[in-house]
Amino acid sequence: MTYYQPVPMNYQRLGNYIREVNIRNRDMRVNNLQGVSISKAFMPSIANTIGTDMSTYKIVERGQFAYGPVTSRNGDKVSIALLEDCDTAIISQAYTVFEVIDTDKLLPEYLMMWFRRPEFDRYARFHSHGSAREVFDWEEMCDVQLPVPPIERQREIVAEYETLTRRIRLNQQIIQRLEDSAQTLYRNTFIDNIDTPPPPGWHLAPLTEIATYLNGIACQKYQTDGDVFLPVLKIRELTQGCCDSNSDHVLTNIPIEFVIDDGDVIFSWSATLLIDIWCGGKCALNQHLFKVTSDIYPKWFYYLWTQNHIAEWKHLIAAKATSMGHIKREDLESAQVIIPSDGALKELDMLMSPLFEMYFQKKKENIKLTELQSLLLAKMGQ
């Protein structure tokens, strides 16, 4: 028997408020080529357009939407965005462009908030259809049901969300400045002012001499009965700096060494070789990620990895690895680095501590602000 859940009385059909737009770049007046990411934002396109007829591309105006109907290879997310940062852009013919008919009845910014909800992504994936690829077509988009409160209430909801967004952006700018300052301190201490050969007390050694590297586990193997769960840290979560509410979770009966917490240095041994000093709380360490443990100042390892003077062995690792860029233990053993003296490391610790205190504070604040955004999006459906 099919379970039917009736649509709440205050929900409206989206097709009553939007219309498709199909204006092509015939006169080649627009050259700002954009794409749409699964993070629901416009981004500069990286497609190779040499020899491409750009006159067939669709024009998107400020306040209009574009979305990719194909959902089957999109990580269960719909690529959809509202153009806000520029007046016009062009986008591939594969996208559907549409706009709100009357902005006195439905704010585009309010509608974009609805599209950011995880429930919308799940709805779109469920209603996608096709064989070789699944598509959430225009008719299905028009059949979306959503609450449409009075325009004054829509403005209030959007203002709340945008206040959180502005605070997150400000914190991101502060975090970037702190990161730049820390990188400058590192370079002044260990690179720019260091002669060859290095000072007394410094020595050449492989990475495995200064740290141990614990590879994560396939966390799903450790799911058993219980009532305490941890989010699973994967490469995606490492990229975004936190585990959101939609991340996989596992029970805490995994071995304690695979539970990470704030301050742990984590890096991926595949794909883009990411590294971060984690501040997203307790998580289970998934495979394809290493936890770095070191008796010396751990943040020194972080900056060692990110600075240009180790670019050569990073390229060497990538060249020796598979198409996915896997790092092997012998790569770490063969990677030779200059280890500073204890005094130099203590000096770095003293200089870095105030920066990292604020760095962690701002990153944790952004995690909380993002959680508040998610709560605000969830309340829209109530």
Side-chain angles (χ1 to χ4, degrees), residues 252-276:
T252 53
N253 64 331
I254 64 175
I256 188 63
E257 62 266 27
F258 296 105
V259 177
I260 66 167
D261 206 344
D262 293 344
D264 287 335
V265 177
I266 309 295
F267 78 90
S268 67
W269 56 266
S270 64
T272 54
L273 307 183
L274 301 168
I275 186 167
D276 194 15

Side-chain angles (χ1 to χ4, degrees), residues 49-62:
T49 59
I50 297 177
T52 303
D53 182 8
M54 308 300 289
S55 67
T56 62
Y57 278 47
K58 295 180 180 180
I59 294 178
V60 189
E61 303 282 352
R62 182 187 294 272

Side-chain angles (χ1 to χ4, degrees), residues 31-32 65 75 95-96 221 237 275-276 377:
N31 57 13
N32 178 23
F65 297 83
Y95 290 94
T96 300
K221 295 181 180 179
E237 285 74 24
I275 186 167
D276 194 15
L377 295 178

Side-chain angles (χ1 to χ4, degrees), residues 102-331:
D102 188 348
T103 56
D104 289 330
K105 294 182 179 179
L106 178 63
L107 287 179
E109 296 82 3
Y110 175 86
L111 178 56
M112 189 61 226
M113 287 180 62
W114 185 262
F115 292 146
R116 290 191 180 101
R117 302 174 78 242
E119 292 81 1
F120 170 74
D121 289 321
R122 288 194 288 269
Y123 174 93
R125 283 293 293 125
F126 180 79
H127 288 274
S128 299
H129 52 84
S131 54
R133 58 180 187 173
E134 295 179 352
V135 174
F136 185 65
D137 60 28
W138 176 246
E139 289 74 19
E140 294 288 356
M141 176 66 81
C142 290
D143 286 337
V144 168
Q145 301 282 335
L146 77 162
V148 183
I151 196 68
E152 294 79 9
R153 179 56 186 152
Q154 292 183 44
R155 293 193 180 102
E156 292 173 359
I157 294 172
V158 169
E160 290 180 58
Y161 189 86
E162 290 184 346
T163 297
L164 296 172
T165 300
R166 286 193 295 270
R167 184 59 180 269
I168 290 172
R169 288 175 179 170
L170 177 60
N171 282 346
Q172 288 172 337
Q173 293 172 1
I174 295 174
I175 289 169
Q176 185 59 55
R177 286 197 291 270
L178 291 168
E179 178 75 16
D180 293 342
S181 298
Q183 294 279 7
T184 300
L185 285 172
Y186 178 90
R187 291 193 63 86
N188 289 340
T189 305
F190 296 113
I191 300 178
D192 294 341
N193 299 321
I194 301 301
D195 298 327
T196 303
W202 296 42
H203 66 283
L204 188 68
L207 284 175
T208 48
E209 179 180 312
I210 63 174
T212 58
Y213 308 90
L214 177 66
N215 191 8
I217 56 176
C219 293
Q220 62 270 20
K221 295 181 180 179
Y222 294 85
Q223 295 183 16
T224 60
D225 294 336
D227 57 1
V228 181
F229 288 81
L230 283 178
V232 178
L233 177 62
K234 300 180 180 179
I235 293 178
R236 182 186 67 179
E237 285 74 24
L238 184 65
T239 303
Q240 63 191 24
C242 66
C243 295
D244 58 36
S245 58
N246 297 309
S247 299
D248 294 333
H249 286 66
V250 296
L251 297 166
T252 53
N253 64 331
I254 64 175
I256 188 63
E257 62 266 27
F258 296 105
V259 177
I260 66 167
D261 206 344
D262 293 344
D264 287 335
V265 177
I266 309 295
F267 78 90
S268 67
W269 56 266
S270 64
T272 54
L273 307 183
L274 301 168
I275 186 167
D276 194 15
I277 301 175
W278 184 249
C279 66
K282 286 189 175 182
C283 296
L285 186 66
N286 197 45
Q287 57 189 352
H288 301 293
L289 294 175
F290 277 117
K291 173 184 176 180
V292 181
T293 304
S294 177
D295 293 332
I296 65 175
Y297 186 49
K299 297 180 182 63
W300 172 79
F301 178 90
Y302 170 75
Y303 286 103
L304 173 72
W305 183 277
T306 56
Q307 285 294 330
N308 291 333
H309 72 295
I310 61 165
E312 290 184 5
W313 68 261
K314 284 180 66 177
H315 288 309
L316 177 64
I317 288 174
K320 292 169 60 178
T322 67
S323 59
M324 289 296 293
H326 292 170
I327 297 176
K328 300 178 182 179
R329 181 158 296 278
E330 53 264 32
D331 295 321

